[in-house]
């Protein structure tokens, strides 16, 4: 459908998926390749490979509906091994994303895994209390160590390749050292009183550091296996690692020294810390984020950039710079849960604020996909809106408050890019709707489940804040009033900032004065609760969407309903205006985004890319993109392709005209070879069938040509081009032949083409064609049907042979009963009936010609040729011959047979008579 135009504005007809923000981490382990190029994370039963530079998913290793319990990447970066709940280990190629091999591992799920420095061996620790070492490339077990009495929680290879040892920790609170050469346990390190969660070696391999949930670090001497040091860290240790000796640290941490053993830890308090183990002191601590409730479950040390990556319990990955004292530099949101609301923000709509089923607001940079996580609420955030210039953001939460944020994209410090400038505290129930005016940023409107609406003043002092250190201001209300009888779901401000509208679950939308909050009117007509309200940018029209599956347009002047749009199969959750108020975009619980044209009242496009209800919808300021967010944890960015599709269709139409002209030229020249190729390219099956039939007819006329005499289709050139077709063209031609073969009228041509195909294309190539079974099975069935019909016709033709064979006896009939000289002449002629007829014709040619003419007229009139009424002129009218012999019953059969044979016998003789 081409873009409809009114003046210079074109109406949109279609959007296509431009990009998708989806989950990249849902829990478990996370790892970085040794070159720090890719971040590997577990996403359910899949493994996600993320480009560290761009923040976009490179590819995803698809599992088979089996959750991944653990994985490890080779230090070489070529392969990764995964362990799943099905107890299988799988080796994957990171360059192609293909599975190399799989094999059975333990009798229980694998919990821990590690590669040696040579990328040859991989150690696995399982819930069956065993530790196994595998040849990763060969897929076979080299060592099986037993000794733990509990679940093996961590395994590590010794960094020295000459010292083949594996160290494992378990929930039996013990650390065991295994020697691969002697296949024995060298030592049992027993000091922890809780499950051992993390192990790491010093740079020289002389010391081992272990951490457990008993809130202490233990330093072990690997030569004597003695406990050298115990350091209390005052939190359950979930992850740790040893830093390099040249790691840059802030001045307060002291000068770096090769003799210092620096260890970082993360645990249930959600903060990374750096410890000097020898001194037993903390040298650096990550600044605690207010209102954050996460724990740190994993950590990754990026040695090239001296950055620590904390993997949190709320499925986020937080990057901290060691040189700046563990300041956060980057964030990756791993799992968005349900997307409840979203808004484009920034002066050029370059960022996207996303509200998920969490306490944070996530702001994505749409260019780099970097994410800023805003911690400001104590409960789940429910709604969000932006100011008209895009620099202010307001969020409402279940903690009964709203927070106003200021966006500073050019701030030097990462924590100052988004700062809290105001808190709106006063509602007694969750804040479910927020809105900024369209022309000013001095006020913000909030609506709540307490059924009240509040208008808050934002002072200049708040918007002047530039640092998070200043702290947010407590905003004051301009006025408050009770608006609805049920929960308020949406608020929208008119383009002139003089009125605003609210929609609630009480089935009504109401219009209010911006100046004093006075009720101006009520929009009634929906049968269920209202989820969204939106003002037209050019007309005095309000759009509402409801649980009754409809969208309604209302006249703001008289509060009457002017249009109703039906098409969604479930609740319509969001609606927005497009194309200068001439179109609508909506989303609903049916998982669809729909595009409507207001003038024609029709849905012109349905966008389907979500697997669950679509809660949120946002339109870019230039309307080139729309963004939708769903309960399936994905955010889809749709691009307007109306103009490009129209240009593409016009280009295709022009090419079609040129090709049609070429086809006509080929037919004019009788160049059937190129005509057939062009007809296949144009995908014109009827024209192609006509060409094959015409070639067959032409071939009959030119059968004397030795080049075409043996051709199946009638032309050797046409036979040759079929053998040279590509696989796609062969599949397309087989599809046409399958269709032609269903019609008996075209079956002969279809069978001829099929004959050429089967002779020219090897069976193996045919079987490898896409959908080969669907193409060949109907051909077999209909070909068998045609064969049965041909067999039946052949059987019926035997009766013709039988009749002809039976008529051969008439040549030997004796004419002895006939009297006269003519009878004697016939006998002398040897009884040949044909000779007898020729004699009769020779005796009186004119009479014989008259008989033939009469017989032809009688045949046309449906009469029987050779009846007694059409007696030969040389016989008497009363039926007697020239000798007066009576035609009595005794010789009636003979005379009748002779008459029939003479009148309708040899067609060649009849033709001679005509001549």
């Amino acid at each position: 459908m081409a873009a409809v135009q009114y003046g210079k504005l074109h109406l949109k007809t279609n959007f296509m998926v431009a990009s998708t923000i989806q989950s990249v981490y849902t829990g478990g382990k996370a790892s970085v390749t040794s070159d720090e190029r890719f971040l590997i994370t577990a996403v359910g039963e899949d493994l996600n490979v993320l480009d560290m530079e761009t923040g976009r998913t490179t590819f995803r290793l698809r599992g088979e509906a089996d959750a991944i319990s653990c994985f490890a990447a080779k230090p070489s970066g070529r392969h990764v091994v995964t362990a799943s709940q099905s107890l299988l280990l799988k080796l994957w190629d990171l360059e192609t994303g293909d599975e190399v091999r799989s094999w059975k591992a333990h009798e229980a799920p694998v919990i821990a895994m590690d590669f040696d420095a040579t990328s040859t061996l991989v150690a696995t620790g399982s819930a069956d209390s065993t530790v196994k070492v595998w040849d990763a490339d060969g897929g076979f077990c080299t060592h099986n160590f037993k000794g733990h009495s509990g679940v093996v929680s961590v395994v590590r290879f010794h960094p020295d390749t000459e010292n083949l040892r594996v160290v494992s920790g378990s929930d039996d609170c013990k650390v065991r050292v295994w020697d691969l050469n002697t296949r024995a346990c060298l030592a049992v390190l027993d000091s922890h009183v809780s499950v051992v969660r993390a192990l790491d070696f010093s740079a020289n391999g002389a010391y081992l550091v272990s951490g457990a949930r008993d809130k202490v670090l233990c330093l072990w001497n690997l030569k004597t296996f003695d406990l050298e040091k115990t350091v209390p860290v005052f939190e359950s240790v979930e992850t740790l690692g040893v830093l390099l000796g040249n790691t840059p640290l802030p001045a307060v941490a002291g000068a770096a020294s090769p003799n210092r053993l620096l260890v970082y830890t993360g645990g249930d308090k959600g903060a990374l810390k750096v410890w000097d183990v020898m001194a037993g002191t903390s040298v650096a601590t990550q600044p605690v984020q207010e209102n954050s409730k996460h724990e740190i479950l994993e950590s990754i040390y990026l040695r090239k950039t001296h950055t620590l990556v904390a993997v949190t319990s709320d499925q986020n990955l937080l990057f901290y710079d060691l040189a700046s004292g563990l300041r956060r530099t980057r964030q990756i949101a791993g799992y968005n849960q349900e997307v409840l609301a979203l808004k484009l923000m920034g002066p050029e709509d370059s960022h996207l604020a996303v509200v998920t089923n969490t306490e944070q607001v996530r702001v994505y940079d749409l260019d780099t996909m970097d994410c800023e996580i805003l911690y400001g609420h104590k409960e789940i955030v429910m709604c969000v809106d932006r100011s008209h210039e895009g620099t202010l953001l307001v969020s409402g939460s279940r903690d009964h408050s709203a927070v106003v944020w200021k966006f500073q994209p050019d701030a030097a410090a990462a924590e100052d890019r988004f700062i809290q400038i105001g808190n709106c505290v006063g509602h007694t129930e969750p804040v479910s709707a927020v809105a900024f005016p369209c022309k000013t940023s001095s006020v913000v409107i909030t609506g709540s489940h307490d059924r009240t609406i509040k208008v808050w003043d934002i002072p200049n002092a708040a918007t002047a804040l530039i640092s998070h250190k200043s702290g947010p201001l407590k905003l004051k209300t301009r006025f408050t009033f009770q608006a609805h009888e049920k929960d308020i779901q949406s608020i929208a401000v008119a383009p002139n900032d003089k009125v605003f509208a609210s929609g609630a679950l009480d089935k009504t939308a109401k219009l209010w004065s911006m100046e004093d909050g006075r009720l101006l009117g009520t929009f009634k007509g929906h049968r269920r609760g209202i989820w969204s309200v939106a003002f037209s940018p050019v007309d005095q029209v309000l759009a509402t969407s409801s649980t009754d599956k409809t969208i309604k347009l209302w006249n703001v002047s008289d509060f009457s309903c002017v249009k109703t749009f039906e098409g969604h199969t479930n609740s319509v959750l969001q609606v927005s205006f497009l194309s200068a108020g001439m179109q609508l975009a909506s989303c609903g619980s049916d998982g669809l985004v729909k595009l409507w044209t207001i003038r024609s009242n029709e849905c012109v496009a349905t966008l389907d890319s979500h697997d669950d209800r679509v809660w949120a919808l946002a339109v870019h300021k230039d309307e080139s993109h729309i963004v939708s967010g769903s309960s399936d944890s994905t955010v889809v960015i749709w691009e307007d392709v109306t103009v490009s599709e129209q240009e593409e269709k016009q280009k295709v139409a022009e090419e079609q005209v040129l090709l049609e002209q070429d086809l006509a030229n080929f037919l004019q020249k009788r160049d059937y070879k190129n005509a057939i190729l062009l007809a296949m390219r144009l995908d014109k099956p009827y024209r192609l069938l006509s060409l094959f039939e015409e070639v067959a007819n032409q071939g009959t006329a030119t059968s004397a040509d030795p080049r075409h005499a043996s051709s199946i289709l009638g032309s050797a050139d046409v036979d040759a081009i079929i053998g040279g077709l590509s696989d796609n063209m062969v599949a397309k031609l087989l599809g046409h032949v399958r269709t032609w073969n269903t019609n008996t009228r075209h079956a002969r041509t279809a069978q001829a083409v099929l004959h050429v195909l089967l002779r020219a294309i090897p069976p193996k190539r045919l079987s490898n064609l896409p959908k080969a079974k669907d193409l060949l099975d109907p051909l077999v069935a209909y070909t068998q049907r045609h064969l049965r019909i041909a067999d039946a016709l052949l059987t019926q033709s035997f009766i013709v042979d039988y009749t002809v064979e039976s008529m051969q006896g008439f040549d030997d009939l004796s004419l002895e009963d006939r009297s006269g000289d003519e009878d004697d002449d016939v006998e002398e002629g040897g009884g040949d009936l044909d000779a007898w007829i020729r004699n009769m014709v020779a005796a009186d040619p004119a009479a014989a010609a008259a008989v033939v003419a009469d017989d032809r007229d009688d045949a046309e009139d449906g009469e029987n040729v050779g009846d007694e009424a059409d007696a030969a002129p040389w016989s008497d009218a009363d039926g007697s011959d020239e000798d007066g012999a009576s035609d009595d019953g005794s010789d009636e059969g003979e005379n009748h047979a002779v008459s029939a044979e003479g009148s309708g016998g040899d067609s060649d003789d009849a033709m001679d008579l005509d001549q």
Side-chain angles (χ1 to χ4, degrees):
M1 178 178 180
V4 182
Q5 296 190 1
Y6 297 99
K8 295 183 179 180
L9 180 68
H10 73 271
L11 297 185
K12 306 178 189 310
T13 58
N14 197 15
F15 284 81
M16 297 295 290
V17 176
S19 60
T20 303
I21 302 175
Q22 58 186 351
S23 300
V24 297
Y25 173 69
T26 57
K29 188 175 181 180
S31 178
V32 173
T33 55
S34 57
D35 58 2
E36 299 181 8
R37 181 183 173 188
F38 296 112
L39 172 66
I40 307 173
T41 55
V43 184
E45 64 271 11
D46 302 332
L47 209 62
N48 193 79
V49 181
L50 191 79
D51 191 304
M52 291 282 287
E53 183 176 353
T54 64
R56 298 180 183 273
T57 297
T58 303
F59 53 82
R60 182 167 289 189
L61 308 179
R62 299 289 180 181
E64 298 177 356
D66 194 11
I68 293 176
S69 59
C70 189
F71 68 88
K74 283 185 176 182
S76 63
R78 177 66 188 275
H79 296 94
V80 62
V81 174
T82 62
S84 61
Q85 297 294 336
S86 63
L87 310 182
L88 291 178
L89 292 181
K90 295 183 179 181
L91 181 68
W92 302 83
D93 191 321
L94 284 178
E95 293 183 359
T96 62
D98 297 330
E99 179 184 334
V100 179
R101 65 168 45 86
S102 64
W103 64 93
K104 177 70 179 295
H106 292 263
E107 299 300 324
V110 175
I111 307 299
M113 190 183 302
D114 188 39
F115 264 100
D116 75 329
T118 65
S119 300
T120 303
L121 303 176
V122 59
T124 57
S126 169
D128 62 7
S129 305
T130 64
V131 177
K132 292 185 178 181
V133 181
W134 309 83
D135 185 299
D137 295 326
F140 58 87
C141 180
T142 61
H143 300 77
N144 185 6
F145 299 115
K146 299 180 180 179
H148 285 292
S149 59
V151 175
V152 179
S153 55
V154 58
V155 293
R156 290 297 303 273
F157 269 101
H158 195 281
D160 186 2
T161 57
E162 301 296 330
N163 192 359
L164 292 177
R165 293 180 180 180
V166 174
V167 182
S168 60
S170 169
D171 62 3
D172 61 6
C173 311
K174 295 179 175 60
V175 177
R176 294 179 179 267
V177 182
W178 311 91
D179 191 303
L180 272 63
N181 293 320
T182 62
R183 299 176 180 270
C185 179
L186 296 180
V188 178
L189 311 181
D190 188 2
S191 177
H192 292 287
V193 294
S194 184
V195 56
V196 179
R197 293 292 302 157
L199 299 169
D200 202 5
F201 299 90
S202 62
N204 57 10
Y207 294 95
L208 171 71
V209 182
S210 62
R213 290 178 178 169
D214 56 7
K215 304 182 180 181
V216 297
L217 298 178
C218 293
L219 180 66
W220 306 88
N221 189 318
L222 289 181
K223 293 183 178 180
T224 63
F225 302 112
D226 293 332
L227 179 63
E228 296 282 343
K229 191 81 173 179
T230 300
V231 180
V233 295
F234 309 108
E235 68 171 335
S236 297
V237 177
E238 296 292 334
T239 180
L240 66 81
V242 177
L243 299 177
L244 297 177
N246 61 349
T247 301
L249 291 172
V252 294
S257 171
N259 298 325
R260 299 177 69 184
L261 185 58
L262 299 177
V263 176
Y264 63 87
T265 62
D268 58 355
K269 290 187 177 180
L272 290 174
K273 296 182 179 180
V274 179
W275 302 84
D276 186 336
V277 176
M278 294 300 184
T281 58
S282 173
V283 297
T285 302
Q286 165 207 328
V288 178
Q289 184 68 56
E290 186 179 0
N291 296 321
S292 63
K293 301 178 180 179
H294 61 250
E295 299 179 7
I296 296 178
L297 304 179
E298 278 288 336
S299 63
I300 305 169
Y301 180 27
L302 305 181
R303 299 173 183 268
K304 292 183 179 180
T305 59
H306 300 291
T307 301
L308 292 179
V309 182
V311 182
T312 64
S313 57
D314 53 4
Q315 292 90 37
N316 295 323
L317 291 89
L318 311 179
F319 292 68
Y320 296 94
D321 181 40
L322 285 166
S324 62
L326 295 176
R327 294 287 180 181
R328 190 173 69 241
T329 58
R330 184 182 180 186
Q331 302 171 84
I332 295 177
Y335 182 51
N336 284 326
Q337 300 188 30
E338 288 192 62
V339 179
L340 304 179
L342 48 81
K343 283 290 180 181
L344 289 160
M345 62 178 306
E348 301 298 329
D349 284 358
S350 58
H351 289 68
L352 179 68
V354 179
V355 170
T356 64
N357 203 20
T358 63
E359 300 86 6
Q360 305 94 32
V361 178
R362 307 178 182 198
V363 182
Y364 289 89
D365 186 328
L366 295 179
D367 294 329
T368 64
M369 286 301 166
D370 283 347
C371 178
E372 291 282 346
I373 302 177
L374 312 183
Y375 297 89
H377 291 283
K378 298 179 181 179
E379 297 293 339
I380 293 174
V381 181
M382 301 182 65
C383 53
V384 68
D385 196 21
R386 52 162 282 180
S387 61
H388 70 283
E389 74 277 6
T391 58
L392 296 184
L393 186 73
V394 60
S395 56
S397 168
R398 287 187 177 274
D399 59 9
H400 308 171
S401 70
V403 175
V404 180
W405 309 83
K406 183 179 179 181
F407 176 40
Q408 303 177 121
D410 298 327
E415 58 267 22
D416 288 336
R417 284 197 286 265
F418 286 90
I419 61 172
Q420 293 186 46
I421 63 172
N423 287 335
C424 305
V425 180
H427 285 288
T428 59
E429 293 291 339
V431 177
S432 52
V434 292
F436 271 110
C438 298
K439 294 183 177 180
T440 180
S441 302
S442 59
V443 296
V444 64
I445 307 171
T446 61
S448 170
H449 286 183
D450 61 12
R451 302 160 192 177
T452 65
I453 291 177
K454 293 179 180 288
V455 179
W456 308 79
D457 285 316
I458 302 177
N460 293 332
T463 57
L465 296 176
I466 60 173
S467 174
H468 71 284
K469 297 179 180 178
S470 304
L473 301 179
K474 186 174 181 180
L475 304 185
K476 296 181 180 181
T477 59
R478 179 181 297 182
F479 50 79
T480 303
F481 56 88
Q482 183 171 350
H484 290 272
E485 297 177 358
K486 289 188 177 181
D487 299 349
I488 299 171
Q489 296 297 328
S490 178
I491 295 175
V493 181
N496 59 8
D497 283 357
K498 293 183 178 180
V499 296
F500 67 91
S502 61
L505 296 182
D506 60 4
K507 309 177 187 178
T508 65
K510 295 183 178 181
L511 190 67
W512 309 90
S513 170
M514 191 72 175
E515 183 178 357
D516 54 8
R518 176 169 45 90
L519 177 62
L520 300 178
T522 303
F523 304 95
K524 295 182 179 180
H526 282 292
R527 300 188 305 274
R528 299 286 182 87
I530 294 176
W531 281 101
S532 175
V533 294
F535 279 97
S536 169
V538 294
D539 299 318
Q540 293 186 2
V541 173
L542 178 73
T544 59
S545 64
S546 168
T547 309
D548 63 9
K549 311 174 188 179
T550 65
I551 302 168
K552 290 183 180 292
L553 295 184
W554 308 84
N555 190 324
V556 176
S557 301
D558 58 9
F559 308 103
S560 62
C561 178
V562 295
K563 278 185 181 292
T564 300
F565 299 87
E566 297 181 353
H568 282 282
T569 59
N570 214 321
S571 303
V572 186
L573 302 176
Q574 195 71 246
V575 63
S576 297
F577 279 92
L578 289 170
S579 306
M582 303 176 69
Q583 289 185 291
L584 291 171
S586 64
C587 61
S589 296
D590 53 9
L592 302 176
V593 178
K594 288 183 177 289
L595 183 65
W596 309 83
T597 297
I598 294 177
R599 178 175 296 185
S600 62
N601 213 63
E602 67 173 341
C603 175
V604 296
T606 298
L607 313 179
D608 185 5
S609 185
H610 291 287
D611 299 327
D612 207 338
R613 64 185 65 187
V614 183
W615 284 103
L617 195 66
V619 180
H620 198 276
K621 63 190 307 181
D622 61 3
E623 297 185 354
S624 61
H625 295 80
I626 61 175
V627 186
S628 59
S630 169
S631 295
D632 61 6
S633 306
T634 62
V635 175
V636 178
I637 302 173
W638 306 86
E639 182 181 5
D640 180 16
V641 294
T642 302
V643 176
S644 61
E645 281 190 348
Q646 185 180 11
E647 293 175 350
E648 184 65 25
K649 288 181 179 179
Q650 184 176 356
K651 181 180 178 181
V652 170
E654 292 174 355
E655 292 180 354
Q656 193 83 359
V657 171
L658 295 176
L659 292 176
E660 288 282 358
Q661 184 60 49
D662 290 341
L663 181 59
N665 294 339
F666 289 142
L667 292 176
Q668 183 71 21
K669 298 176 182 178
R670 296 186 178 275
D671 187 354
Y672 294 111
K673 175 181 177 181
N674 289 320
I676 288 174
L677 288 174
L678 192 54
M680 292 182 63
R681 179 181 172 187
L682 292 172
D683 196 18
K684 292 183 175 294
Y686 184 74
R687 180 71 64 85
L688 188 62
L689 174 64
S690 302
L691 284 171
F692 280 126
E693 291 177 345
E694 190 171 345
V695 169
N697 296 333
Q698 189 75 14
T700 304
T702 60
S703 57
D705 189 342
R707 292 183 61 252
H708 306 296
S710 60
S711 172
I712 299 171
L713 292 174
S715 171
D717 295 334
V718 174
D719 290 357
I721 65 172
I722 292 181
L725 295 176
S726 64
D727 287 350
N728 289 335
M729 297 299 286
V730 169
K732 184 181 292 186
L733 182 57
L734 274 176
H736 296 332
V737 171
R738 177 185 60 183
T739 303
W740 302 337
N741 200 41
T742 60
N743 192 327
T744 307
R745 184 182 304 172
H746 308 311
R748 181 178 180 182
T749 303
Q751 289 294 317
V753 177
L754 181 61
H755 188 181
V756 176
L757 280 169
L758 294 179
R759 289 184 61 180
I761 310 295
K764 185 175 181 181
R765 181 182 169 192
L766 283 175
S767 63
N768 292 332
L769 292 176
K771 299 182 180 179
K773 181 175 176 60
D774 296 339
L775 292 172
L776 298 177
D777 285 352
L779 282 173
V780 172
Y782 275 96
T783 300
Q784 291 175 345
R785 176 187 173 188
H786 298 321
L787 182 60
R788 287 195 299 269
I789 294 174
D791 285 342
L793 292 174
L794 180 62
T795 303
Q796 294 174 11
S797 70
F798 292 158
I799 195 162
V800 178
D801 293 342
Y802 172 76
T803 303
V804 173
E805 190 69 28
S806 299
M807 292 175 64
Q808 296 299 323
F810 288 123
D811 293 341
D812 300 329
L813 286 176
S814 174
L815 302 179
E816 294 177 352
D817 292 339
R818 288 188 175 273
S819 61
D821 296 337
E822 288 119 356
D823 296 344
D824 295 335
D825 293 335
V826 171
E827 290 181 44
E828 292 176 1
D832 186 1
L833 184 60
D834 293 337
W836 178 79
I837 292 176
R838 283 193 294 272
N839 292 334
M840 294 300 99
V841 172
D844 194 349
V851 170
V852 171
D854 291 340
D855 288 348
R856 182 180 296 122
D857 294 338
D858 292 343
E860 292 174 355
D861 295 336
E863 297 180 359
N864 295 324
V865 178
D867 284 346
E868 293 179 354
D870 295 325
W874 49 77
S875 59
D876 295 334
D878 59 355
S880 61
D881 56 16
E882 293 179 352
D883 296 335
S886 174
D887 191 11
D888 56 7
S890 61
D891 57 356
E892 180 181 358
E894 287 186 358
N895 289 333
H896 178 74
V898 171
S899 175
E901 183 72 9
S903 60
D906 196 347
S907 59
D908 293 334
D909 293 337
M911 291 297 297
D912 293 338
L913 290 175
D914 288 338
Q915 294 172 0

